[in-house]
Amino acid sequence: MIWDLWQDTVHSPFMNMAFDEALMIEASQRGRPLLRLYEWDRDAISFGYIQKVEKVPKDQGRFVRRPTGGGIVFHKHHFTYTVVVPNEHWLVADLKPIDSYNWVNRAVQKALQKVALSTDLANQEISKSVDRAGMVCFTTPTKYDILLDDRKVSGSAQRRAKEAMLHQGSIEMEGLESLSTEALREALPAGFQEIFDCEFADFQTTEKLELDAKKISEEKYSTDAWNLKR
């Protein structure tokens, strides 16, 4: 099976979210899964779609509401990836969301193994006592998050829309000498290849995708109407 691989570069918080949404919208047209690897142009905070903005530390130009769920993520020493899968693919069509988390996070776990990190997948759901409206992602493990000596080092959130499944993930690099952006850019595709038995084709962005993402960023992710909506 062929997947697309986009070794993307550095963007603003708003453009990072906008590119993910634009890729999701075009997923059925591409017809195959895509793995995007990318970075942020500033220290930033992203937070889940259903979270309360009053619970999020705010710094103008540095925080953005994601299209997916999950908790508050401080993007300072993180590397981020996105998986976009058409709804016709077995990962979406044949699996419940929690099971697709298992598959994707096992691929990330395999990637971390390739950079000498032996990790475990969390096996417990978030406690009902946790305030999801203000929870911090990396202090609140949930099922299939990736743990290193009981410390959460990778978390993710997912959205299933009419166009595709959007899965956004983040890997904590602080204090882990074997992790670097260069190492993860090499290891993550290798981990996905091994778990999904796939090969990657280099993804080439188009003028249409660039323009669509710019419009989505300007009209949605960089606006108060989106970021302050709850």
Side-chain angles (χ1 to χ4, degrees):
M1 182 176 294
I2 304 297
W3 284 42
D4 287 318
L5 173 62
W6 186 8
Q7 291 277 8
D8 197 6
T9 55
V10 177
H11 303 286
S12 72
F14 321 113
M15 282 298 293
N16 274 331
M17 297 302 98
F19 270 123
D20 280 354
E21 182 163 330
L23 290 168
M24 182 180 69
I25 292 170
E26 294 184 0
S28 60
Q29 181 180 339
R30 287 192 308 276
R32 59 193 188 191
L34 178 145
L35 173 64
R36 174 185 174 228
L37 309 180
Y38 63 99
E39 299 171 60
W40 303 64
D41 70 356
R42 66 199 76 174
D43 292 348
I45 297 170
S46 72
F47 59 105
Y49 176 75
I50 66 169
Q51 289 196 288
K52 301 293 186 182
V53 70
E54 63 265 21
K55 296 180 180 289
V56 178
K58 288 174 282 298
D59 186 355
Q60 188 65 32
R62 295 180 183 270
F63 73 102
V64 64
R65 186 184 296 275
R66 295 189 304 271
T68 55
I72 298 167
V73 179
F74 297 89
H75 298 279
K76 185 173 183 178
H77 303 288
H78 285 190
F79 187 78
T80 37
Y81 69 91
T82 292
V83 179
V84 183
V85 182
N87 287 333
E88 298 76 18
H89 188 274
W90 63 264
L91 190 61
V92 185
D94 298 344
L95 297 181
K96 296 178 180 178
I98 189 63
D99 297 319
S100 61
Y101 273 95
N102 184 19
W103 275 88
V104 172
N105 286 359
R106 283 195 293 119
V108 177
Q109 182 185 34
K110 181 62 68 173
L112 294 178
Q113 182 180 330
K114 294 179 181 299
V115 290
L117 291 182
S118 179
T119 61
D120 298 301
L121 296 183
N123 58 19
Q124 292 184 337
E125 299 284 358
I126 296 175
S127 169
K128 292 182 179 179
S129 64
V130 172
D131 178 13
R132 290 175 179 264
M135 72 178 185
V136 176
C137 177
F138 277 78
T139 61
T140 315
T142 189
K143 194 169 186 178
Y144 299 134
D145 281 342
I146 298 175
L147 307 178
L148 177 65
D149 298 328
D150 295 326
R151 169 194 172 190
K152 181 174 175 177
V153 293
S154 182
S156 55
Q158 192 179 110
R159 172 185 172 189
R160 291 196 176 192
K162 64 180 181 180
E163 303 92 350
M165 180 190 87
L166 174 64
H167 185 106
Q168 297 177 310
S170 185
I171 299 171
E172 174 67 73
M173 296 190 296
E174 185 175 19
L176 300 174
E177 295 182 359
S178 65
L179 292 190
S180 66
T181 57
E182 295 79 10
L184 288 171
R185 284 185 180 276
E186 181 177 348
L188 279 165
F192 276 79
Q193 284 179 314
E194 192 163 334
I195 294 300
F196 286 98
D197 192 22
C198 65
E199 297 294 332
F200 281 107
D202 289 337
F203 177 77
Q204 301 296 325
T205 185
T206 63
E207 182 179 6
K208 180 180 184 303
L209 181 69
E210 298 275 353
L211 291 174
D212 287 348
K214 186 173 185 293
K215 182 179 181 182
I216 294 169
S217 174
E218 292 174 348
E219 296 182 356
K220 185 173 183 178
Y221 291 104
S222 61
T223 69
D224 286 348
W226 172 259
N227 291 314
L228 307 182
K229 66 185 298 182
R230 288 184 176 79

